[in-house]
mmCIF file of all heavy atoms in Angstrom:
data_model
loop_
_atom_site.group_PDB
_atom_site.id
_atom_site.type_symbol
_atom_site.label_atom_id
_atom_site.label_comp_id
_atom_site.label_asym_id
_atom_site.label_seq_id
_atom_site.Cartn_x
_atom_site.Cartn_y
_atom_site.Cartn_z
ATOM 1 N N SER N 401 -97.636 7.947 -75.447
ATOM 2 C CA SER N 401 -97.694 9.364 -75.445
ATOM 3 C C SER N 401 -96.429 9.967 -75.022
ATOM 4 O O SER N 401 -95.816 10.869 -75.597
ATOM 5 C CB SER N 401 -98.870 9.871 -74.636
ATOM 6 O OG SER N 401 -100.157 9.553 -75.231
ATOM 7 N N ILE N 402 -95.937 9.469 -73.840
ATOM 8 C CA ILE N 402 -94.688 9.941 -73.286
ATOM 9 C C ILE N 402 -93.503 9.624 -74.242
ATOM 10 O O ILE N 402 -92.651 10.420 -74.516
ATOM 11 C CB ILE N 402 -94.415 9.337 -71.938
ATOM 12 C CG1 ILE N 402 -95.390 9.946 -70.920
ATOM 13 C CG2 ILE N 402 -92.933 9.603 -71.459
ATOM 14 C CD1 ILE N 402 -95.195 9.467 -69.481
ATOM 15 N N ILE N 403 -93.458 8.399 -74.779
ATOM 16 C CA ILE N 403 -92.382 8.024 -75.769
ATOM 17 C C ILE N 403 -92.364 8.948 -76.991
ATOM 18 O O ILE N 403 -91.328 9.450 -77.405
ATOM 19 C CB ILE N 403 -92.511 6.498 -76.129
ATOM 20 C CG1 ILE N 403 -92.297 5.612 -75.021
ATOM 21 C CG2 ILE N 403 -91.566 6.227 -77.319
ATOM 22 C CD1 ILE N 403 -90.918 5.736 -74.364
ATOM 23 N N LEU N 404 -93.544 9.206 -77.505
ATOM 24 C CA LEU N 404 -93.709 10.095 -78.715
ATOM 25 C C LEU N 404 -93.335 11.443 -78.344
ATOM 26 O O LEU N 404 -92.594 12.167 -79.136
ATOM 27 C CB LEU N 404 -95.076 9.977 -79.267
ATOM 28 C CG LEU N 404 -95.344 10.858 -80.490
ATOM 29 C CD1 LEU N 404 -94.371 10.477 -81.638
ATOM 30 C CD2 LEU N 404 -96.831 10.716 -80.978
ATOM 31 N N GLY N 405 -93.705 12.006 -77.185
ATOM 32 C CA GLY N 405 -93.260 13.341 -76.763
ATOM 33 C C GLY N 405 -91.793 13.446 -76.623
ATOM 34 O O GLY N 405 -91.263 14.464 -77.016
ATOM 35 N N TYR N 406 -91.113 12.474 -75.953
ATOM 36 C CA TYR N 406 -89.705 12.565 -75.771
ATOM 37 C C TYR N 406 -89.064 12.498 -77.163
ATOM 38 O O TYR N 406 -88.051 13.201 -77.346
ATOM 39 C CB TYR N 406 -89.287 11.234 -74.970
ATOM 40 C CG TYR N 406 -89.529 11.368 -73.501
ATOM 41 C CD1 TYR N 406 -89.505 10.249 -72.704
ATOM 42 C CD2 TYR N 406 -89.975 12.571 -72.871
ATOM 43 C CE1 TYR N 406 -89.732 10.255 -71.288
ATOM 44 C CE2 TYR N 406 -90.226 12.703 -71.564
ATOM 45 C CZ TYR N 406 -90.129 11.482 -70.721
ATOM 46 O OH TYR N 406 -90.387 11.559 -69.424
ATOM 47 N N TYR N 407 -89.546 11.669 -78.104
ATOM 48 C CA TYR N 407 -88.946 11.489 -79.399
ATOM 49 C C TYR N 407 -88.952 12.816 -80.159
ATOM 50 O O TYR N 407 -87.975 13.295 -80.770
ATOM 51 C CB TYR N 407 -89.656 10.390 -80.222
ATOM 52 C CG TYR N 407 -89.236 10.312 -81.607
ATOM 53 C CD1 TYR N 407 -87.985 9.653 -81.960
ATOM 54 C CD2 TYR N 407 -89.987 10.875 -82.695
ATOM 55 C CE1 TYR N 407 -87.615 9.572 -83.254
ATOM 56 C CE2 TYR N 407 -89.533 10.780 -83.941
ATOM 57 C CZ TYR N 407 -88.369 10.161 -84.326
ATOM 58 O OH TYR N 407 -87.990 10.087 -85.584
ATOM 59 N N LEU N 408 -90.138 13.552 -80.120
ATOM 60 C CA LEU N 408 -90.267 14.797 -80.775
ATOM 61 C C LEU N 408 -89.276 15.860 -80.163
ATOM 62 O O LEU N 408 -88.642 16.625 -80.847
ATOM 63 C CB LEU N 408 -91.676 15.382 -80.664
ATOM 64 C CG LEU N 408 -92.741 14.596 -81.596
ATOM 65 C CD1 LEU N 408 -94.088 15.174 -81.272
ATOM 66 C CD2 LEU N 408 -92.347 14.789 -82.999
ATOM 67 N N ALA N 409 -89.210 15.842 -78.816
ATOM 68 C CA ALA N 409 -88.321 16.830 -78.185
ATOM 69 C C ALA N 409 -86.898 16.617 -78.475
ATOM 70 O O ALA N 409 -86.122 17.593 -78.632
ATOM 71 C CB ALA N 409 -88.482 16.736 -76.642
ATOM 72 N N VAL N 410 -86.460 15.385 -78.678
ATOM 73 C CA VAL N 410 -85.082 15.043 -78.975
ATOM 74 C C VAL N 410 -84.732 15.316 -80.412
ATOM 75 O O VAL N 410 -83.615 15.705 -80.801
ATOM 76 C CB VAL N 410 -84.738 13.625 -78.499
ATOM 77 C CG1 VAL N 410 -83.315 13.240 -78.935
ATOM 78 C CG2 VAL N 410 -84.816 13.472 -77.023
ATOM 79 N N THR N 411 -85.675 14.928 -81.356
ATOM 80 C CA THR N 411 -85.319 14.939 -82.761
ATOM 81 C C THR N 411 -85.535 16.369 -83.425
ATOM 82 O O THR N 411 -84.998 16.553 -84.503
ATOM 83 C CB THR N 411 -86.142 13.944 -83.509
ATOM 84 O OG1 THR N 411 -87.554 14.085 -83.182
ATOM 85 C CG2 THR N 411 -85.788 12.539 -83.027
ATOM 86 N N LEU N 412 -86.310 17.217 -82.777
ATOM 87 C CA LEU N 412 -86.552 18.473 -83.336
ATOM 88 C C LEU N 412 -85.254 19.382 -83.251
ATOM 89 O O LEU N 412 -84.819 19.682 -82.197
ATOM 90 C CB LEU N 412 -87.735 19.243 -82.670
ATOM 91 C CG LEU N 412 -89.050 18.579 -82.795
ATOM 92 C CD1 LEU N 412 -90.133 19.351 -81.947
ATOM 93 C CD2 LEU N 412 -89.500 18.628 -84.240
ATOM 94 N N LYS N 413 -84.636 19.681 -84.398
ATOM 95 C CA LYS N 413 -83.355 20.369 -84.438
ATOM 96 C C LYS N 413 -83.519 21.849 -84.568
ATOM 97 O O LYS N 413 -82.771 22.606 -83.934
ATOM 98 C CB LYS N 413 -82.542 19.788 -85.540
ATOM 99 C CG LYS N 413 -82.158 18.301 -85.380
ATOM 100 C CD LYS N 413 -81.435 17.980 -84.109
ATOM 101 C CE LYS N 413 -81.164 16.484 -84.032
ATOM 102 N NZ LYS N 413 -80.527 16.192 -82.753
ATOM 103 N N ASP N 414 -84.463 22.356 -85.418
ATOM 104 C CA ASP N 414 -84.629 23.724 -85.640
ATOM 105 C C ASP N 414 -85.763 24.243 -84.740
ATOM 106 O O ASP N 414 -86.931 24.034 -85.030
ATOM 107 C CB ASP N 414 -85.047 24.033 -87.113
ATOM 108 C CG ASP N 414 -84.902 25.488 -87.457
ATOM 109 O OD1 ASP N 414 -85.009 26.339 -86.597
ATOM 110 O OD2 ASP N 414 -84.734 25.801 -88.645
ATOM 111 N N PRO N 415 -85.432 24.954 -83.610
ATOM 112 C CA PRO N 415 -86.432 25.417 -82.659
ATOM 113 C C PRO N 415 -87.390 26.361 -83.241
ATOM 114 O O PRO N 415 -88.548 26.502 -82.758
ATOM 115 C CB PRO N 415 -85.703 25.991 -81.530
ATOM 116 C CG PRO N 415 -84.329 26.411 -82.186
ATOM 117 C CD PRO N 415 -84.048 25.442 -83.224
ATOM 118 N N ILE N 416 -87.064 27.076 -84.300
ATOM 119 C CA ILE N 416 -87.912 28.132 -84.817
ATOM 120 C C ILE N 416 -89.008 27.470 -85.726
ATOM 121 O O ILE N 416 -90.181 27.770 -85.530
ATOM 122 C CB ILE N 416 -87.156 29.216 -85.685
ATOM 123 C CG1 ILE N 416 -86.153 29.954 -84.686
ATOM 124 C CG2 ILE N 416 -88.087 30.164 -86.338
ATOM 125 C CD1 ILE N 416 -85.316 30.986 -85.452
ATOM 126 N N ASP N 417 -88.580 26.617 -86.559
ATOM 127 C CA ASP N 417 -89.566 25.934 -87.506
ATOM 128 C C ASP N 417 -90.422 24.899 -86.671
ATOM 129 O O ASP N 417 -91.513 24.613 -87.040
ATOM 130 C CB ASP N 417 -88.849 25.240 -88.632
ATOM 131 C CG ASP N 417 -88.343 26.248 -89.624
ATOM 132 O OD1 ASP N 417 -88.836 27.384 -89.682
ATOM 133 O OD2 ASP N 417 -87.409 25.836 -90.416
ATOM 134 N N ALA N 418 -89.828 24.297 -85.656
ATOM 135 C CA ALA N 418 -90.462 23.193 -84.948
ATOM 136 C C ALA N 418 -91.151 23.558 -83.595
ATOM 137 O O ALA N 418 -91.428 22.645 -82.875
ATOM 138 C CB ALA N 418 -89.429 22.110 -84.756
ATOM 139 N N ILE N 419 -91.277 24.836 -83.377
ATOM 140 C CA ILE N 419 -91.801 25.219 -82.042
ATOM 141 C C ILE N 419 -93.233 24.660 -81.812
ATOM 142 O O ILE N 419 -93.606 24.326 -80.696
ATOM 143 C CB ILE N 419 -91.747 26.741 -81.872
ATOM 144 C CG1 ILE N 419 -92.008 27.155 -80.391
ATOM 145 C CG2 ILE N 419 -92.773 27.396 -82.788
ATOM 146 C CD1 ILE N 419 -90.904 26.740 -79.465
ATOM 147 N N GLN N 420 -94.037 24.701 -82.891
ATOM 148 C CA GLN N 420 -95.384 24.147 -82.718
ATOM 149 C C GLN N 420 -95.412 22.688 -82.453
ATOM 150 O O GLN N 420 -96.216 22.181 -81.629
ATOM 151 C CB GLN N 420 -96.256 24.456 -83.953
ATOM 152 C CG GLN N 420 -95.798 23.736 -85.215
ATOM 153 C CD GLN N 420 -94.839 24.571 -86.053
ATOM 154 O OE1 GLN N 420 -94.101 25.339 -85.511
ATOM 155 N NE2 GLN N 420 -94.772 24.298 -87.286
ATOM 156 N N TYR N 421 -94.485 22.043 -82.995
ATOM 157 C CA TYR N 421 -94.286 20.570 -82.700
ATOM 158 C C TYR N 421 -93.805 20.300 -81.211
ATOM 159 O O TYR N 421 -94.198 19.324 -80.759
ATOM 160 C CB TYR N 421 -93.389 19.814 -83.713
ATOM 161 C CG TYR N 421 -93.919 19.937 -85.131
ATOM 162 C CD1 TYR N 421 -93.305 20.805 -86.084
ATOM 163 C CD2 TYR N 421 -94.931 19.122 -85.515
ATOM 164 C CE1 TYR N 421 -93.722 20.843 -87.339
ATOM 165 C CE2 TYR N 421 -95.407 19.169 -86.836
ATOM 166 C CZ TYR N 421 -94.813 20.032 -87.749
ATOM 167 O OH TYR N 421 -95.340 20.075 -89.030
ATOM 168 N N PHE N 422 -93.021 21.186 -80.789
ATOM 169 C CA PHE N 422 -92.624 21.082 -79.370
ATOM 170 C C PHE N 422 -93.804 21.219 -78.437
ATOM 171 O O PHE N 422 -93.863 20.473 -77.388
ATOM 172 C CB PHE N 422 -91.531 22.097 -79.033
ATOM 173 C CG PHE N 422 -90.989 21.931 -77.663
ATOM 174 C CD1 PHE N 422 -90.168 20.952 -77.295
ATOM 175 C CD2 PHE N 422 -91.294 22.904 -76.694
ATOM 176 C CE1 PHE N 422 -89.636 20.753 -76.002
ATOM 177 C CE2 PHE N 422 -90.862 22.812 -75.333
ATOM 178 C CZ PHE N 422 -90.023 21.702 -75.036
ATOM 179 N N PHE N 423 -94.691 22.136 -78.695
ATOM 180 C CA PHE N 423 -95.875 22.256 -77.869
ATOM 181 C C PHE N 423 -96.761 20.941 -77.915
ATOM 182 O O PHE N 423 -97.297 20.567 -76.942
ATOM 183 C CB PHE N 423 -96.696 23.490 -78.301
ATOM 184 C CG PHE N 423 -96.140 24.776 -77.840
ATOM 185 C CD1 PHE N 423 -95.662 25.671 -78.711
ATOM 186 C CD2 PHE N 423 -96.015 24.982 -76.446
ATOM 187 C CE1 PHE N 423 -95.162 26.925 -78.185
ATOM 188 C CE2 PHE N 423 -95.423 26.211 -75.965
ATOM 189 C CZ PHE N 423 -95.000 27.131 -76.831
#
Side-chain angles (χ1 to χ4, degrees):
S401 292
I402 289 181
I403 294 299
L404 181 58
Y406 286 167
Y407 174 78
L408 288 175
V410 171
T411 56
L412 295 175
K413 299 301 181 183
D414 191 336
I416 297 178
D417 287 339
I419 193 68
Q420 66 270 24
Y421 297 106
F422 182 72
F423 283 117

